[in-house]
Amino acid sequence: MSPDGLPTPELPETFDVLVHPAQSLSGELRAQPSKNYTTRYLLAAALAEGETRVVGIATSEDAGAMLRCLEDWGAGVTLVGDDAVIRGFGAAPRAGVTLNPGNAGAVARFLMGVAALTQDTTFVTDYPDSLGKRPQGDLLAALERLGARVSSNGGRLPLTISGPVGGGPIQGGTVEVSAGKSSQYASALIFLGPLLPRGLDLRLTGQIKSHAPLRQTLDTLSAFGVRFSASEDLSRISIPGGQKYGAGRVSVPGDYPGSAAILAAAALLPGEVRLGNLRENDLQGEREAVAVLRQMGADIVREGDTLIVRGGQPLNAVTRDGDGFTDAVQALTAAAALAGGETTWENVSTLRLKECDRISDTRRELERLGIHATETADSLSITGTGKIAGGVTADGHGDHRMIMLLTLLGLRADAPIRITGAHHIRKSYPLFFRHLEALGARFEYLPTDVH
């Protein structure tokens, strides 16, 4: 169904998208459910004993990957409308199971932590050139220090994780893990901690990346009745052992990372767009995208959980530390590409470790569209232009965030832009194109074998 409730034709399983320039965007949408909270709530529900209803889950590929893996581990999963009812396995996932999280990096890492409760859980992926290349060594080393047994392909998938020889759980205790590359390693250990007899005294080393996702993980523990304490900078997190996740009912908030793309699109074109289901005090770091767009000159006001964008205002360049809102950087890059001056996103080295290298690959795609961009090891700078020629084919790099960026640029181009592999948008925002169509955008969906 379309966002307005009317039937819409099914999209091909794989497709390119031809983005037509748009004159304006107007209308009202409800933000999709948060991908990050959906995966966290689903895992916590499986770690509870009893039945939990997760209300309003995301329908992304990441959510599907988590549900599939939890079922393989022995959880009961029933989908009821937009909700998921989970019958948890508590601290006893099945042994000897092979899990395939697809291309969902956070899902894979969260499950790797819990795998220390099992014997012989093997992780594989059918995305060897994406998730298969992403490093897991820091997390695996921390699990080994806690007493788990690990075998891997040089710290990458495929890999197998088991508890101690002879069965029984690892005990827990004090362990360090680097937070310099990803917060997901720490989140994986946090989910494991309450179920260990001795709990977990987690010490994060290096420059901590992405505080906001860590706070979302801790917020999930609170929602399921798990006790913990944490230093203000999150460098030390203590979780008492022998706890249980509490079954019950939780509601998924709206998704700020995907909504950043809708808000940026609305700011770039004339019209008025209202986007609901976005809590003002949400812990998602990408909530900062609203402040960034306002700083650039966008007209955005809030009415409760609804953001109202009156688009078409001139935008100006900014320089910002992007570490707190990494999953919104590419959407905001579209705004930067059409803003006056040079915008720089600083402290974003973790973007190189995503589905593609979101610094170098983004620079190359911008240059393909005639937009000047430069990079350093941990920054990306974009010089705004008043004109995007279009009429080219851009590479989506199999990356949902890249596809969002290129789509937004296509809406402002002088001629259509074709984006390859646009079906990868399903990883986080399956209704992205449909939502933009509801606001007045126009796309053509082309089978990937047509050139």
Side-chain angles (χ1 to χ4, degrees):
M1 301 290 283
S2 70
D4 59 7
L6 298 175
T8 54
E10 285 293 321
L11 297 179
E13 181 177 352
T14 63
F15 62 91
D16 297 352
V17 67
L18 189 67
V19 183
H20 289 272
Q23 298 302 310
S24 65
L25 294 176
S26 293
E28 185 169 356
L29 296 172
R30 178 178 174 84
Q32 70 163 357
S34 165
K35 172 177 77 78
N36 290 344
Y37 267 105
T38 292
T39 53
R40 284 165 170 79
Y41 282 177
L42 291 174
L43 177 55
L47 294 173
E49 297 176 2
E51 190 171 275
T52 296
R53 190 175 188 115
V54 184
V55 178
I57 65 169
T59 57
S60 64
E61 288 182 348
D62 279 25
M66 179 64 85
L67 287 169
R68 183 175 65 250
C69 291
L70 294 176
E71 276 194 297
D72 290 343
W73 250 349
V77 174
T78 304
L79 299 180
V80 182
D82 295 331
D83 304 346
V85 178
I86 308 296
R87 296 186 307 280
F89 44 63
R94 285 177 182 157
V97 171
T98 296
L99 301 180
N100 184 347
N103 202 25
V107 171
R109 287 166 175 166
F110 296 168
L111 297 173
M112 287 177 201
V114 176
L117 299 170
T118 74
Q119 296 294 319
D120 297 320
T121 293
T122 298
F123 291 84
V124 299
T125 179
D126 41 17
Y127 291 83
D129 293 328
S130 185
L131 180 56
K133 291 184 176 179
R134 295 171 72 173
Q136 318 295 344
D138 290 339
L139 172 57
L140 300 179
L143 290 171
E144 286 184 308
R145 288 192 292 272
L146 286 169
R149 292 174 291 137
V150 173
S151 62
S152 71
N153 178 28
R156 289 171 169 79
L157 274 65
L159 59 86
T160 300
I161 299 173
S162 295
V165 175
I170 59 175
Q171 295 299 301
T174 299
V175 70
E176 291 185 350
V177 69
S178 171
K181 294 178 183 177
S182 174
S183 67
Q184 293 168 4
Y185 306 143
S187 285
L189 296 169
I190 290 169
F191 279 117
L192 172 66
L195 302 174
L196 301 179
R198 290 172 52 198
L200 196 65
D201 186 3
L202 181 60
R203 302 179 185 185
L204 276 57
T205 62
Q207 181 181 1
I208 298 175
K209 297 295 183 183
S210 306
H211 285 76
L214 279 175
R215 297 190 190 281
Q216 292 167 44
T217 300
L218 294 173
D219 188 43
T220 299
L221 263 60
S222 294
F224 283 79
V226 173
R227 294 174 289 111
F228 63 87
S229 61
S231 62
E232 186 173 351
D233 65 356
L234 300 183
S235 63
R236 183 164 180 169
I237 299 168
S238 296
I239 306 172
Q243 299 190 70
K244 292 184 178 181
Y245 285 80
R249 181 185 179 96
V250 290
S251 295
V252 178
D255 182 73
Y256 269 97
S259 295
I262 300 296
L263 295 171
L268 288 172
L269 288 156
E272 181 176 293
V273 172
R274 300 173 66 92
L275 186 59
N277 193 36
L278 292 172
R279 301 184 309 193
E280 183 172 10
N281 298 315
D282 197 284
L283 293 176
Q284 297 170 70
E286 287 74 17
R287 179 171 60 92
E288 187 66 13
V290 179
V292 175
L293 287 169
R294 284 173 173 159
Q295 184 183 351
M296 297 178 82
D299 181 356
I300 305 177
V301 298
R302 177 180 285 278
E303 292 181 359
D305 287 348
T306 297
L307 290 168
I308 304 164
V309 187
R310 298 179 181 94
Q313 304 298 319
L315 300 180
N316 302 304
V318 297
T319 297
R320 293 290 298 256
D321 183 327
D323 179 60
F325 52 88
T326 53
D327 279 346
V329 163
Q330 283 185 295
L332 294 170
T333 293
L338 289 152
E342 182 182 77
T343 291
T344 298
W345 311 121
E346 299 176 333
N347 192 26
V348 291
S349 61
T350 56
L351 290 177
R352 295 192 183 276
L353 304 173
K354 302 294 185 176
E355 284 77 359
C356 70
D357 182 335
R358 291 183 185 165
I359 294 179
S360 292
D361 290 337
T362 295
R363 175 186 57 76
R364 283 189 283 268
E365 294 307 316
L366 291 174
E367 290 174 344
R368 191 196 303 262
L369 293 167
I371 301 163
H372 181 66
T374 60
E375 64 176 281
T376 68
D378 66 351
S379 73
L380 176 66
S381 297
I382 308 99
T383 301
T385 177
K387 184 179 179 65
I388 299 173
V392 302
T393 295
D395 187 347
H397 291 272
D399 187 326
H400 51 127
R401 305 291 177 202
M402 179 74 81
I403 295 162
M404 293 180 197
L405 161 62
L406 295 171
T407 300
L408 269 54
L409 295 176
L411 294 175
R412 278 290 305 267
D414 292 338
I417 291 174
R418 181 172 182 154
I419 305 170
T420 63
H423 54 278
H424 290 288
I425 198 69
R426 296 184 180 115
K427 183 176 192 302
S428 68
Y429 199 162
L431 288 176
F432 177 67
F433 295 117
R434 297 308 196 196
H435 277 179
L436 286 173
E437 284 174 330
L439 300 176
R442 186 164 70 91
F443 306 111
E444 292 180 56
Y445 305 99
L446 309 173
T448 52
D449 60 350
V450 175
H451 298 286

